[in-house]
Amino acid sequence: DLYSLFEKHAPDKLAQAPIEITNARILVAEDSLFFRKLIEQYVKTDLWDVEIVNDGLEAWEKLQHEPNRYNLIISDINMP
């Protein structure tokens, strides 16, 4: 069961080391609401600016306007 697998590895159940990276700008492109929320749980902190978009087209438009804005892009490899 996929849900049980993710539940075992939920951010609140993992021992987390202190985060040393500050001011990171992250773009997340994910077409599944379930996985958008899951990824958000893992990457959302007060130290990082995280933007989440619904699909690759939205991500591409953001990158076209500001190509050097993000330090990291997390993208669903299985989007249409």
Side-chain angles (χ1 to χ4, degrees), residues 2 7 9 12-13 22 29 34-36 54 59 61 68 76:
L2 187 60
E7 182 64 25
H9 296 90
D12 60 330
K13 296 198 168 111
T22 60
F34 173 80
F35 286 112
R36 276 197 307 270
N54 297 322
E61 289 169 356
N68 298 317
D76 178 355

Side-chain angles (χ1 to χ4, degrees), residues 25-26 49 51 62 66-71:
R25 291 184 304 261
I26 301 170
D49 177 20
E51 292 182 50
K62 286 188 171 288
E66 295 182 272
N68 298 317
R69 175 171 171 72
Y70 303 99
N71 303 105

Side-chain angles (χ1 to χ4, degrees), residues 28-43:
V28 177
E30 172 57 62
D31 58 345
S32 162
L33 177 61
F34 173 80
F35 286 112
R36 276 197 307 270
K37 291 189 175 291
L38 183 69
I39 293 168
E40 183 178 24
Q41 288 178 21
Y42 281 95
V43 299

Side-chain angles (χ1 to χ4, degrees), residues 40-66:
E40 183 178 24
Q41 288 178 21
Y42 281 95
V43 299
K44 202 78 156 172
T45 75
D46 292 336
L47 303 174
W48 298 346
D49 177 20
V50 179
E51 292 182 50
I52 301 174
V53 297
N54 297 322
D55 57 40
L57 182 58
E58 283 185 59
W60 182 248
E61 289 169 356
K62 286 188 171 288
L63 291 169
Q64 291 298 304
H65 288 102
E66 295 182 272

